[in-house]
Every structure is written in structure tokens, then in C-alpha cells.
Amino acid sequence: MRDIIALALMLVLALLVGIPPARAQDADALRREMEQMRKQFEAMQEQYKKALDSMSERLERMEKRPEPSAAAPPAPATPAPAAPPTTEMVTQQRPPGSEPSPLDLIKPREPFALYERRGAGQLLFDMGVTGDFVGNLTQHNVQKNQGGSFPGLENLFFPREVEVSFFGQIDPYARAEVRFEAEQDSRSGGLNVNLAEANLTLMALPYGTQLKMGLMRNRFGYLNPIHAHDWPFVDNPNVLQQFFGTEGLVESGFEATWVPPLPFYLEVLGGVFNGVNDVAFGRGQISDPLATGRVRTFFDLEDWGAIQVGASVASGQTQQQRSSTIVGFDAKYKYTPPGWQHAAVSVLGEYLLSFRDVVAANLAGIDQTRQRDSQGFYVYGGIQPFAHGELSKWLLGFRYDRTQYPAAPGTEWAVQPFLTYYPSEFLRFRLGYKQTTRSQCCSYLEFQDNGGSAKQVSEYFLQATFIMGAHPAHPF
Amino acid sequence: MRRLVILILAFTAAWTAVASPARAEKLRVVTSTTDLKALTEAVTGDLAEVDAMARPNQNAHDLEVRPSLMIKVRRADALIVNGLELDGWADVVAQGANNANVIPGAAGRIDASRGLGVLEVPKTRVDRSMGDIHPQGNPHYTLDPGMAPAVTQNILEGLARLAPQHRAAFERNRQQFLGSLEEAMGRWSKTLEPSKGAAVVVSHAQWIYFLTRFGLQQVGTIEERPGIPPTANHLVKLIGLMKEDRAKVIVAEPWSDLKLIERVGQDAGAQVAVLASAVGAMKGTDTYLATIDFNVKTLAQALK
């Protein structure tokens, strides 16, 4: 028993003495092993991170531009196009992918820094700037009367429309456009900056339909939806100016279009708007809306010629809550042979009819409401007889206007020859002369205000227009 | 009220009937250029009706957006674009066509340039002082037959998304086309082999892929900058350069200013080779292979 106890004590002692070193050795080994594993893990983690980063980058690249699955691309034999002079701005670029600082964002010298730093195509929308400057010279009496084509801005050179526009897809279902405009609206030189358009279009609707909503230039007739810098002449045609005012028909509301699946092109449009036009539809509430409608179609007449015809209607209430309806018909013909940068021949015309309730005194001198019907039209023709060479940059145009006044008796008509010069697709100059004659019975328009007279108006125009950045393709 | 409801229901029924005709058996495909039309037809064979928006002898950069193009796209199942900003006008057409199948991001919108090795990608900041430059690189890749396998693969993948049941047939058609292309490629390389390294001047910078493929050197352009007509000063310098580099040929497109190019050619002692800038642009270039064949033979003849 004593032996057993002694053996047990020895064993315990041995355990007590022997185990600690063994535990220490194991712990050290474990620590080393753990350290090694930790390092391996960290290394693997690093490797995985690198691999993941690389794969993410590749995935991103592939999503934008997947690797070719077949052909090997040819090796470039010539250098990239001549580089522009290196500027300070370029040398100050941050490394690709780094986020611009708030300071960078507000730097005035780098308006497109975000675009540049994200790389081409990475800005998720397009932006463009257009500038349209107009100068006009006319008689002093016309200036006093403010009876020129640019009322209140006679004998001035002024920014007619400087526009910053943003447009692009919102998501796979819709696109949007937002345009801000600055324009001079008085002789004092003050600029009027406003939101010219801001709208979205639902493009993924079924059965060939689209819905546009927001603030927009209404698709009434040919010219109204087009911004002034893209017009084929300097000034707004007289009939549109008299029927819709200097700004045209620009409204907030909804516009739906339908292109039925027919063998020929037909677009049907219907719209509902607040009605804030201060000349024709000033009711200004969607509950008593301005309703619009339009149909347009198009025919290829021969290989290089084509015609578009359309009919439009707009019906609402005036500021005085009286009924007002305008109906319009438009046609545009263009002949553009191969090689011509601009149409060799273009002809455009619009004819408008206005039916408006007005208050006028009857023979007994009592005010009574009656319908006033008026009409007007313009016809434009442009010719560009040269396909190539310096002369191909010049275009000769002519416009004839004739219109009645929608709310008063009287007529005015005008002729306008002009010459356009396009140094490039993005720059244009125009010189024009316009002679306007107004009938003697302009009681409503008072073209003898301020001691001046605007019954005979001779005007000389100079227009300079530029486009920077993105600009959508022009409509037919 | 009851009449109004009946009227609305009748209108909706009529609209639906008109607007959703029985789906055609064949895919309806619209391409922006005739090159893409030809390459698409090589993939689809008889399984699709393919139409192009640009005409063969038209400068595809400046296409006029006509509503007649919109009617082509109105009923299309797929819209195949060249991309690289050659045919940005296709967006405007798609918008006006009211066809949800082909708007950006839709399955039916196919960009044939995806994944290609693009040449002349600007390495520095670009702006319009350099002319009508393409920030994403030269978009005229379809003129290089060596790009056709990748381009047709992009087309195949896009169309197979819409019609997976035809994938095998598309692949068969494509392989058959690539077989003919490979055979022709050997012939073309042989034809232009003696001219390898020759200096060539081009009218518009759209031949770089084609010239590079066959080992030719582009040493200058008639246009001073892309899309901008040349100045007299530029032409004088170019003629000097052509004499110096012994550039014997000016490559021109059918829509370019051929009178001016002929004059430059005479002054520089060079021949003018009018090549087909797109499938169908010259007589006898109705197919993709015929077009490349025409271009190779015409250029080889001029370089002799």
C-alpha cells in the first residue's frame, strides 16, 4: 500500500514537475503555429482581397465592355490622334478613381472635372451649353415704340438664350431633360435666369406609347418644341409671336404619344397642361386645363427628299377665363443628297387659326363677349447648292410672314432674306434683314406708343450661335 | 356615363387589337449601318428580317433623323448600334419610335462594339478644337474583317437573349460565315502582302482598322481634323508630306469631296482609291465579304 502511495505521489510529482514544461512547449508551439496561421491567413486574406479587387475591376470592365470572344484586335500601327497642348489642368489631375475633393468640385476652371476624372462615358448623363446672341439695328422710332421683332431690345446686341442642358436616362424605364436658360429681357442689361424645361419621359410603356410629364415646350406645330438657337432663322415668326407671345407655348403638365404599328409613320399626341401662357391660355390651373393634341406623319418622297406634315390643336382659357382655341397645320420638306452636310433645299410652313372669345363694345357701347377669329402663317425656304468646299458652309434663306392679331383687328406682314454661315457643326453666324409692315388699324397693339411708330419696321439682324458639349441630334 | 364607359372600353379594345398584332415568326432587327445589317444577316440567316437605317453611301456621322427611321424601329425586336458615338442619332430615333424593346438598357438594344480592341482612343483630354473627335476611339471597326468574329459574337449574344431557341442556328450560321471569312482573309492578306508598310493618306479618318489589319501605314488625312474641311495651308503641307513619305494612294469615301481629293492626288503624284465606306456603298458590294473584297482589290490596284 505504502508502495502504491509512493508510486502515486511520484506520479503526481512527476506530473506536477513534468507537465508544466510540456504545456509550455505546447503553448509555444501552438503560439508559433497560430502566428504562422495568422500570417498565412492574413496573406491569404490579402491575396483574396487583391483577387477580389481585381475580379471586381474586371467585372466592372466587362459590364461596360466585355472581352472579345472571338477576334483578336489589330495592333495599332499609328499613334493616337494628335494630343492637344498639355495644360496645367491636365498635369494637376488626380489619379484615376480617386474622389474629387469639395474644393475640386467648386473650382471654376474645371467645369467638367467630374466627367474627366471618372473617365469617358462614366458621367451618367449628357450635358451641353449653347449660346445664342442676337444683335438688331432698327429705326429710332421703332425702338421708342418697342415694336421690333425683339420688343424692348431694339438696337442692342444681347444674349437671346444661353442654355445649360442636362439629359439622359434616369433608369431603364425613363429619361429626363433639364434645361436652364439665361436671357436678357430688358434694355438695362439684366439677365433673366429661369428653368426652361424639366421633364421626364416614361419610355417603357406598352403598345407604342410614351408619357412625358413636367415643364416642357409643347409639341404644337413644327417650331414651338424647338429651342430658339436651333431655328432655321433668327427671330420667332410673327404668327407665333402674336398667337403665343415671345416665349412660345411652354407649359407644365402631361403629354402622351402613341405611334401605332402602321406601315407609315403616324404619331398621335394628347396633352393636359396648367395653361400659363400670358397671351393665349393664362387660366393657370390643371382643373381647367389647357388641352393639346397633335398628329404628324411623314413620307419619303424620293431617295433623298422627304416631307413631314402635322396638325395641332390647343384649347383652354385665357387669363380672363374666356375660351381660346388655336389650330395649326405645318409641313416641312427637305432634300439632302448624299454628301451634303446641310439640306440642299428646305421648305417649312405653318398656318395657324385662332378662335378666341373677346370682350368688345357693341354699337350701343355695351361690352359683350364675342368670338374673334384670326389667322396667320409663315413660309420659309432655304437653299444650299454646294456639297463640298468653302461654299458648302453658306446657306441662303428667305421667310415670308403674314398674320392677323388674335385679340384685335389688324394685320402685319414681313419679308426676311438672310444668309447663314456654318464654320463647323458647332458654330453658326447669321445675317438678316427684315421688313415688317403693319396695317393702320392697330388699336389693340398700339404701335404708336411712346411717341414712336412701328407701322413700318426695317431691321438688320446679326446672330452668333455656339454649341459646347453634348447636343441631341436635330429633328427632321 | 354609361356611354362614356362603353366608349372607353371600345377604344381600349380597338387600341389593343391594333397595337398588338400576332407576333411574327421572324425576329425584326434594325441596325444603324449597312455593315451591321450584313453582319447581322450572316448570323441570323433566314431567322430574322434585318433592315438598316443609314444608307450605304451616306456619312453615318451626320444622319438626318427622319420619322421614316422611327417607323422602322417602331416594331423592331432589336436595335443593333455601332456605338463609340458613330450613331448617337440612333438614340433620338429610338425615342421617337415609342418602342420599349429597344430603348437604352432594354434587352433588344445591342451595342456591337462591346469588348472590341478600339483604336485611336485619345490618351489626353479632348475637346472640339480637335474637330469632331470620338472620345471613345475610332468607331469604324466594321471595315476591318478581322473584327467580324467579335462583332458577330456580340450580335449573336444579343439576339440569343431575345430568341434563345435560335442560338444553335445563329452559331451555325456564324461559323459558316467565319469559315468563308477566314478563307477570304488569306486571299486578301496575300493580295496586299506586296504593299505591306506602304504609306497611305485617307480622306476621313475611318480606315485605320482596315489599313492596320493589312499592315499599311496611314500618314495623313485630307481633313485637317475629323469632320472639318481642310484649309489650303493644310493641303500644301499634306502634299509635301506625301512626297516625303512617298504616299502613293489617297483613300476616299464615295461621299467625300472627290474633286478636291483628285487635285491633291495630282499635285502629290498619288492615285485616288474610292473604297466602299460601307456595305453597298459601291457597285458590287452588296455583302460584307464582297465589300472587303472590293476594298482590298481596289487598294491593291492603286498601290501597284
Side-chain angles (χ1 to χ4, degrees):
Chain A
M1 184 66 188
R2 220 182 252 173
D3 288 342
I4 293 170
I5 290 168
L7 191 65
L9 283 172
M10 278 174 73
L11 272 171
V12 171
L13 195 64
L15 282 171
L16 288 174
V17 175
I19 288 170
R23 275 183 182 164
Q25 280 169 9
D26 284 355
D28 282 344
L30 275 169
R31 269 194 212 103
R32 279 198 302 276
E33 206 173 318
M34 277 173 66
E35 184 62 21
Q36 205 175 352
M37 282 180 72
R38 194 175 60 78
K39 280 181 181 166
Q40 279 175 356
F41 179 69
E42 280 176 357
M44 278 174 66
Q45 200 178 19
E46 188 63 25
Q47 275 177 355
Y48 275 115
K49 190 172 176 300
K50 277 182 186 168
L52 277 171
D53 286 350
S54 158
M55 284 168 75
S56 304
E57 204 180 314
R58 276 182 62 198
L59 183 65
E60 207 173 305
R61 276 207 309 269
M62 283 169 75
E63 278 173 354
K64 281 184 291 190
R65 186 176 290 279
E67 292 299 314
S69 48
T78 53
T86 310
T87 64
E88 193 192 349
M89 278 185 273
V90 173
T91 57
Q92 283 178 353
Q93 271 188 33
R94 300 162 141 269
S98 62
E99 288 296 320
S101 71
L103 188 65
D104 291 331
L105 294 178
I106 58 168
K107 267 185 188 171
R109 287 185 62 203
E110 298 186 28
F112 299 104
L114 280 172
Y115 182 88
E116 189 183 332
R117 282 170 188 169
R118 287 183 188 176
Q122 290 305 296
L123 188 68
L124 299 180
F125 53 86
D126 290 319
M127 59 177 140
V129 181
T130 55
D132 187 33
F133 299 86
V134 172
N136 69 121
L137 288 174
T138 186
Q139 306 106 300
H140 186 63
N141 55 322
V142 174
Q143 179 184 327
K144 275 180 77 178
N145 181 267
Q146 300 192 356
S149 294
F150 301 96
L153 298 168
E154 292 82 1
N155 293 317
L156 281 180
F157 183 70
F158 61 94
R160 193 249 296 260
E161 182 186 276
V162 177
E163 177 188 283
V164 180
S165 51
F166 307 92
F167 49 94
Q169 289 291 131
I170 303 168
D171 60 18
Y173 317 108
R175 64 176 281 113
E177 54 181 330
V178 176
R179 298 176 200 273
F180 295 94
E181 265 178 19
E183 59 187 8
Q184 185 168 332
D185 60 354
S186 67
R187 300 196 70 78
S188 60
L191 286 176
N192 178 22
V193 180
N194 62 61
L195 180 63
E197 278 191 273
N199 54 66
L200 69 90
T201 305
L202 299 177
M203 300 177 71
L205 299 181
Y207 306 132
T209 54
Q210 281 185 1
L211 181 65
K212 188 174 180 180
M213 59 188 84
L215 174 65
M216 66 194 84
R217 295 193 69 85
N218 296 57
R219 281 179 269 186
F220 182 100
Y222 178 85
L223 207 64
N224 191 68
I226 300 175
H227 288 238
H229 64 261
D230 280 334
W231 290 345
F233 26 71
V234 179
D235 64 318
N236 201 6
N238 296 33
V239 60
L240 298 182
Q241 185 133 333
Q242 291 299 337
F243 282 30
F244 293 124
T246 51
E247 296 297 326
L249 196 58
V250 184
E251 294 283 347
S252 291
F254 301 83
E255 216 174 48
T257 58
W258 178 40
V259 178
L262 299 171
F264 60 93
Y265 184 80
L266 181 74
E267 183 187 64
V268 183
L269 177 151
V272 179
F273 299 90
N274 291 337
V276 293
N277 183 273
D278 53 5
V279 176
F281 310 106
R283 183 75 169 91
Q285 55 187 45
I286 199 88
S287 53
D288 291 299
L290 159 66
T292 63
R294 175 166 168 77
V295 288
R296 78 169 166 139
T297 188
F298 178 91
F299 304 98
D300 282 312
L301 293 183
E302 66 273 349
D303 274 0
W304 304 100
I307 189 165
Q308 174 181 290
V309 290
S312 312
V313 62
S315 185
Q317 292 185 1
T318 62
Q319 275 177 331
Q320 295 77 30
Q321 299 183 25
R322 295 194 180 92
S323 166
S324 173
T325 299
I326 298 176
V327 177
F329 302 93
D330 58 275
K332 168 112 193 232
Y333 170 77
K334 260 167 109 174
Y335 177 69
T336 314
W340 258 253
Q341 195 178 354
H342 309 287
V345 178
S346 36
V347 179
L348 163 67
E350 286 191 66
Y351 172 64
L352 274 73
L353 292 153
S354 166
F355 310 98
R356 186 186 296 189
D357 283 352
V358 294
V359 175
N362 63 13
L363 292 172
I366 300 164
D367 281 353
Q368 63 177 38
T369 302
R370 65 184 183 85
Q371 183 176 297
R372 168 167 286 285
D373 300 347
S374 48
Q375 57 181 311
F377 70 92
Y378 74 89
V379 181
Y380 152 81
I383 184 160
Q384 203 295 303
F386 303 98
H388 301 292
E390 200 54 36
L391 286 174
S392 68
K393 298 175 181 175
W394 294 85
L395 192 146
L396 195 63
F398 180 84
R399 199 181 83 203
Y400 178 76
D401 291 82
R402 188 175 191 93
T403 182
Q404 294 175 324
Y405 304 124
T411 304
E412 66 181 34
W413 60 95
V415 291
Q416 180 181 179
F418 55 87
L419 193 60
T420 305
Y421 174 60
Y422 291 88
S424 74
E425 199 185 332
F426 311 101
L427 184 62
R428 185 189 64 212
F429 299 100
R430 197 172 269 148
L431 273 174
Y433 170 76
K434 185 178 181 184
Q435 175 69 42
T436 306
T437 304
R438 293 180 171 120
S439 65
Q440 301 296 311
C441 51
C442 310
S443 56
Y444 148 65
L445 292 159
E446 297 294 350
F447 283 113
Q448 294 191 19
D449 276 358
N450 307 323
S453 168
K455 285 178 180 162
Q456 291 288 338
V457 181
S458 298
E459 295 169 285
Y460 295 91
F461 297 136
L462 167 66
Q463 183 186 23
T465 309
F466 68 82
I467 297 170
M468 281 198 305
H471 191 269
H474 294 150
F476 176 80
Chain B
M1 185 65 191
R2 209 163 131 193
R3 275 185 188 172
L4 185 68
V5 171
I6 291 168
L7 195 68
I8 290 170
L9 286 173
F11 176 74
T12 310
W15 183 40
T16 310
V18 173
S20 54
R23 190 182 172 83
E25 282 290 312
K26 289 185 174 184
L27 275 174
R28 285 180 294 242
V29 183
V30 175
T31 65
S32 61
T33 65
T34 51
D35 288 2
L36 290 175
K37 175 179 185 279
L39 291 169
T40 303
E41 283 169 339
V43 172
T44 61
D46 294 334
L47 296 170
E49 284 169 10
V50 189
D51 202 354
M53 288 193 277
R55 299 178 195 211
N57 50 352
Q58 201 168 15
N59 181 354
H61 293 90
D62 301 320
L63 203 79
E64 191 173 73
V65 176
R66 292 179 173 201
S68 53
L69 303 181
M70 294 170 188
I71 203 66
K72 285 184 180 182
V73 175
R74 167 66 183 87
R75 300 180 70 183
D77 298 305
L79 172 62
I80 302 178
V81 296
N82 186 88
L84 304 178
E85 298 191 356
L86 176 76
D87 45 10
W89 43 264
D91 276 342
V92 182
V93 176
Q95 282 163 36
N98 286 25
N99 181 351
N101 295 334
V102 298
I103 59 174
R109 184 61 165 261
I110 301 165
D111 183 345
S113 72
R114 289 171 71 90
L116 302 183
V118 179
L119 297 183
E120 295 185 335
V121 181
K123 298 280 188 287
T124 53
R125 185 189 177 109
V126 294
D127 60 42
R128 293 282 179 215
S129 68
M130 299 162 75
D132 194 5
I133 198 157
H134 295 278
Q136 295 177 351
N138 193 308
H140 301 284
Y141 55 83
T142 52
L143 290 167
D144 171 12
M147 287 288 194
V151 174
T152 49
Q153 181 69 38
N154 282 337
I155 293 169
L156 186 151
E157 293 299 334
L159 294 179
R161 272 201 307 266
L162 301 171
Q165 72 277 18
H166 294 323
R167 176 179 274 278
F170 290 159
E171 189 53 57
R172 260 199 318 277
N173 293 338
R174 178 173 170 268
Q175 287 306 332
Q176 197 178 344
F177 168 72
L178 293 183
S180 309
L181 182 77
E182 200 178 333
E183 192 190 328
M185 194 69 145
R187 203 170 61 241
W188 296 331
S189 300
K190 213 170 169 184
T191 307
L192 283 170
E193 179 68 31
S195 308
K196 224 168 192 173
V200 168
V201 163
V202 299
S203 164
H204 173 67
Q206 76 169 74
W207 299 97
I208 190 67
Y209 292 94
F210 177 78
L211 297 176
T212 305
R213 175 63 60 187
F214 295 106
L216 302 165
Q217 295 284 324
Q218 179 183 309
V219 295
T221 56
I222 297 282
E223 285 179 348
E224 191 170 351
R225 295 159 212 200
I228 294 183
T231 58
N233 195 27
H234 170 72
L235 293 179
V236 169
K237 280 185 191 166
L238 183 69
I239 291 166
L241 182 86
M242 287 175 71
K243 286 177 177 169
E244 213 171 273
D245 287 345
R246 295 183 182 171
K248 293 197 294 183
V249 169
I250 303 174
V251 173
E253 304 79 18
W255 44 263
S256 51
D257 188 354
L258 293 176
K259 273 186 190 166
L260 175 79
I261 296 167
E262 290 281 359
R263 276 211 306 275
V264 173
Q266 276 170 14
D267 289 351
Q271 279 211 46
V272 177
V274 182
L275 304 190
S277 51
V279 171
M282 301 291 286
K283 204 176 169 189
T285 61
D286 295 336
T287 65
Y288 186 77
L289 296 181
T291 302
I292 305 297
D293 203 55
F294 175 88
N295 288 348
V296 167
K297 283 178 181 164
T298 308
L299 188 57
Q301 185 66 30
L303 283 164
K304 267 184 186 168

